[in-house]
Structure formats: structure tokens, C-alpha cells
Amino acid sequence: QRAFALEWAPTGSIIFSGGAWHSLFTTIQLAAIAAPITAAIGLLAAWVLTRQRFAGRTALEFALMLTFAVPGTVIGVAYILTYNLPPLEITGTAMILVVCFVFRNLPVGVRSGVAAMSQLDRSLDEAALTLRASTFRALRTVVLPLLKPAIVTALVYSFVRAMTAISAVIFVVSGRWNLATVAVLGYVENADLSRAAALSLVVTAIVALVLVAMHVAVNRMGGTRWASN
């Protein structure tokens, strides 16, 4: 009741008066913004890595994977030091959280795209180019439709990771842009275990529903295995 209380305003509208609503809505909003950006950049990077040959390709792939090797606390401190001064003074805003989500989860989008594109024969691209399709049109009409399971997997993984992230974002949250995981930690530190448990349960339920929806979507696209594998 204290975490997710609801009240009725005199006008008949619902007031989300519980203390956990704000952090939950903020987390869902920012995760929903970061997920498609992560998937788009990851798949574009995967297309560049698998379909293009250029100097520094190995270095680019290493750089894209680097965020998985760096601890979240190091990333959080680095973001504070980097984005706390002009011209990129975005500390305390929603943008720094979205940027953190995107680049923290980018390796999964890249590897998912690389694995999927490695199974597509190059002759498909060449056939499209032979029929005078531009590179962008070939990517949009030939490659992307065959990558739907990989796109869904990248989207869902990015969303779930953003919903449950704490190690990096704990340093860049603010009073206005607080996240559910950080709120849970604050409740635990203040010995408010009941509210922490309630918020944790709701976050877990949302993540479970999203994973089930991904499973159904991938199966309808012709996938035969659980996409998170």
C-alpha cells in the first residue's frame, strides 16, 4: 500500500500516490527509449563488421565489446567525470542514463547481429545490388526482414538489462531521474524491507512478462529455440 498506493482525484482521475511509482515509471520510460537505440546501433555495427572490409575492423570490434569487460562502477565514475563539464554537461539528466544503458548493453546487440548475419549468404546482398538497389535499400528490404529474431532478442535484452541495471547507473541517477533498482537499494538501507520487496516483485513481474512476450514473438517468426539462449 505504501509503495503502490492509488488515490482518486476530485476530477475522477487516478493519482499514483505510492512512493515507488515514480522510480518504476522512470525506469520503464528510459529502458523503452534505450532499447531500440541499442538494437539499432548494435545491428548497424554488426552489418559493418560482417559485410564490410576496412582497416581497423578488429579494433572497432574490440572497442564495441570493451564495455562488457569494464566493471559497472568504473563506467559510472567515468561518466560522471566525462559528462560533468561543458560542452557535454548532462550529469543529472535522463540523457546520461540513456547513454549509459545504450553503451553498456551494446555488445549483446552487436554479437546477436553478427551471429544472425553470419548465417545470411552474401549472394542475397549481391543480388539486390545487381537489381540496382542501393545499399540502404538492400539492407532495409533484404537483410532486416531476415533478422527479426535477432532484432527482437536485442530489443528485449536491452530493455531487461536497463530495468535491472544498478552497478553503473547508481552513480548517475538524480532525484528527478531515479531508477527502480536504486530505489530498492535505498529502501533496504533504510530498513524499509516491505517497500523494497514490493518494488522488486513488480520489476521481476515486468521482466518476466517481457521475456514471455519475446518467446511468443520469436516463435511466431519461425524461431524454434528460446531466444535468450
Side-chain angles (χ1 to χ4, degrees), residues 124-142:
L124 296 174
D125 300 10
E126 296 170 355
L129 295 176
T130 302
L131 295 174
R132 298 183 179 180
S134 63
T135 302
F136 175 75
R137 186 175 181 184
L139 178 64
R140 179 174 57 86
T141 60
V142 178

Side-chain angles (χ1 to χ4, degrees), residues 1-198:
Q1 293 178 350
R2 289 185 296 114
F4 296 103
L6 295 173
E7 296 180 1
W8 292 97
T11 58
S13 59
I14 299 177
I15 300 177
F16 298 93
S17 58
W21 284 115
H22 173 69
S23 60
L24 180 64
F25 287 154
T26 300
T27 305
I28 295 175
Q29 176 186 357
L30 297 183
I33 294 173
I37 298 175
T38 305
I41 297 177
L43 292 174
L44 179 61
W47 179 77
V48 171
L49 293 173
T50 56
R51 291 294 193 262
Q52 307 297 322
R53 293 293 180 267
F54 55 92
R57 176 176 170 274
T58 304
L60 175 61
E61 185 173 9
F62 174 78
L64 291 172
M65 298 294 107
L66 192 60
T67 54
F68 254 11
V70 179
T73 52
V74 175
I75 293 178
V77 173
Y79 272 45
I80 293 176
L81 297 177
T82 303
Y83 299 117
N84 201 34
L85 297 173
L88 297 175
E89 191 175 358
I90 58 175
T91 301
T93 66
M95 184 179 296
I96 192 172
L97 290 169
V98 172
V99 170
C100 186
F101 287 152
V102 169
F103 289 99
R104 182 65 169 164
N105 302 324
L106 187 59
V108 174
V110 174
R111 297 315 306 174
S112 177
V114 168
M117 289 186 184
S118 298
Q119 302 177 31
L120 302 182
D121 199 306
R122 281 179 167 271
S123 61
L124 296 174
D125 300 10
E126 296 170 355
L129 295 176
T130 302
L131 295 174
R132 298 183 179 180
S134 63
T135 302
F136 175 75
R137 186 175 181 184
L139 178 64
R140 179 174 57 86
T141 60
V142 178
V143 177
L144 288 182
L146 298 175
L147 296 179
K148 287 182 180 179
I151 294 173
V152 173
T153 301
L155 281 171
V156 172
Y157 180 86
S158 302
F159 180 83
V160 170
R161 287 279 296 180
M163 286 288 298
T164 58
I166 188 169
S167 60
V169 296
I170 194 172
F171 295 97
V172 294
V173 294
S174 60
R176 181 179 179 184
W177 302 101
N178 194 22
L179 300 178
T181 51
V182 180
V184 169
L185 183 61
Y187 292 149
V188 172
E189 290 178 347
N190 293 323
D192 193 353
L193 300 182
S194 59
R195 201 182 317 196

